[in-house]
Amino acid sequence: MPKADRSKLKVMVSSSVRHKEPMLDQIYGLLSGLGYRVWMSYRGTVPNIPGKSAFETCLVAVERCDIFLGIITPHYGSGHVAGQLGITHRELLKAIELGMPRFMLAHEQVVNARRLLMDLGYPDAAARAALKLRKGAVIIDDMRLIDMYEAATREDLPLENRTDNWVQQYRMPPEALEFAEEQFSRVEENRGYVAEWRARKVEA
C-alpha cells in the first residue's frame, strides 16, 4: 500500500451524510483529483485514534487538518444525544475557534428557514429557543442548523469585525461542486493561506 504524501494539504470535509452520499462522493473525488488528502468520515478516511470516541477523533482531525470544508445541509445528522451538539456542529465550532482556513456551504432550505423565522419575529437563537419543530419536519429537521449557519456567518460579531464569514448558498449538488472546484483548484494559493494561518498560531 503506497504511503500517504505528507506534502499534500489535508482537507476535512464536515457534513451530515443522510441523502448526501452521491454529492459527498463527488466532492471526495474532486478534491482528491486536485491533489488534496481528503478526510471524510463517510468515506472512512478520517484518521482513527484508538482509545478515543468517534466525537473526539473527529475533533482531533479538525485540529490536525489544514483546511476545513463545512456543508450545512437540511439534516442535522446523527451522533448526538439530547442536550448536546451534533458532531458536524462541534466540528464547525472547533474550526472557527482555531481560526483555520475554511470554506462553507449551506443549503438554501437552511437559509430560507432562518429568513422566514426572522420575518416572523425570531431574529436570533435566544428568540428561537421557545420554538420546537414537529417530528418529521421537512424543510429542516433541527433548529440548530440555523445556529450553525449563524456561527459560520459570524453573527456573534459586529458586522465590521466579521472575517471568514462567507457561506455559499446552494440548491443542488452541482452548485456545491462548482463552489468546491473554484475554491480548491487554487492549490498553491490555499497552501499560502495555510502557511499564514500556521504562522499566526506560532506568533500567538
Side-chain angles (χ1 to χ4, degrees):
M1 186 175 182
K3 293 183 178 179
D5 185 350
R6 298 188 180 277
S7 67
K8 292 182 176 181
L9 291 175
K10 301 180 291 294
V11 179
M12 177 74 173
V13 179
S14 176
S15 171
S16 62
V17 175
R18 180 185 172 194
H19 305 317
K20 303 299 180 292
E21 294 89 340
M23 183 179 75
L24 292 175
D25 284 332
Q26 289 179 298
I27 289 176
Y28 182 89
L30 169 68
L31 298 183
S32 297
L34 289 171
Y36 295 90
R37 288 178 64 192
V38 185
W39 289 353
M40 182 185 288
S41 59
Y42 159 64
R43 293 292 298 251
T45 55
V46 171
N48 188 24
I49 305 175
K52 289 191 177 292
S53 69
F55 268 30
E56 292 171 321
T57 293
C58 288
L59 292 178
V60 169
V62 175
E63 293 173 348
R64 293 180 178 176
C65 73
D66 299 306
I67 302 175
F68 183 86
L69 172 59
I71 308 172
I72 305 172
T73 78
H75 304 106
Y76 193 65
S78 58
H80 62 90
V81 297
Q84 295 187 12
L85 300 181
I87 186 57
T88 55
H89 197 160
R90 291 171 64 180
E91 288 168 353
L92 170 60
L93 295 180
K94 175 59 70 174
I96 293 171
E97 175 191 331
L98 295 171
M100 67 192 319
R102 58 186 181 273
F103 299 99
M104 293 296 305
L105 283 154
H107 195 276
E108 68 170 11
Q109 289 174 205
V110 177
V111 180
N112 291 342
R114 174 178 181 265
R115 181 69 261 174
L116 177 60
L117 289 174
M118 291 177 68
D119 290 346
L120 289 171
Y122 302 96
D124 52 33
R128 295 190 299 266
L131 300 178
K132 185 176 181 180
L133 291 173
R134 292 181 178 179
K135 185 176 181 180
V138 174
I139 303 302
I140 59 172
D141 69 2
D142 196 301
M143 296 289 283
R144 288 172 293 184
L145 290 163
I146 299 176
D147 297 341
M148 290 179 65
Y149 178 80
E150 291 180 343
T153 57
R154 303 312 312 270
E155 299 295 324
D156 58 310
L157 298 175
L159 184 60
E160 64 273 15
N161 294 338
R162 295 175 193 171
T163 60
D164 296 311
N165 62 328
W166 184 295
V167 180
Q168 182 66 31
Q169 181 176 326
Y170 77 98
R171 182 172 63 91
M172 300 294 289
E175 296 167 348
L177 288 164
E178 182 179 16
F179 174 79
E181 182 173 16
E182 178 61 32
Q183 306 310 317
F184 287 92
S185 62
R186 300 175 288 127
V187 179
E188 290 309 311
E189 193 172 335
N190 286 337
R191 195 179 296 278
Y193 295 145
V194 171
E196 291 173 6
W197 167 58
R198 296 204 178 280
R200 289 197 301 270
K201 285 180 63 179
V202 171
E203 290 173 0

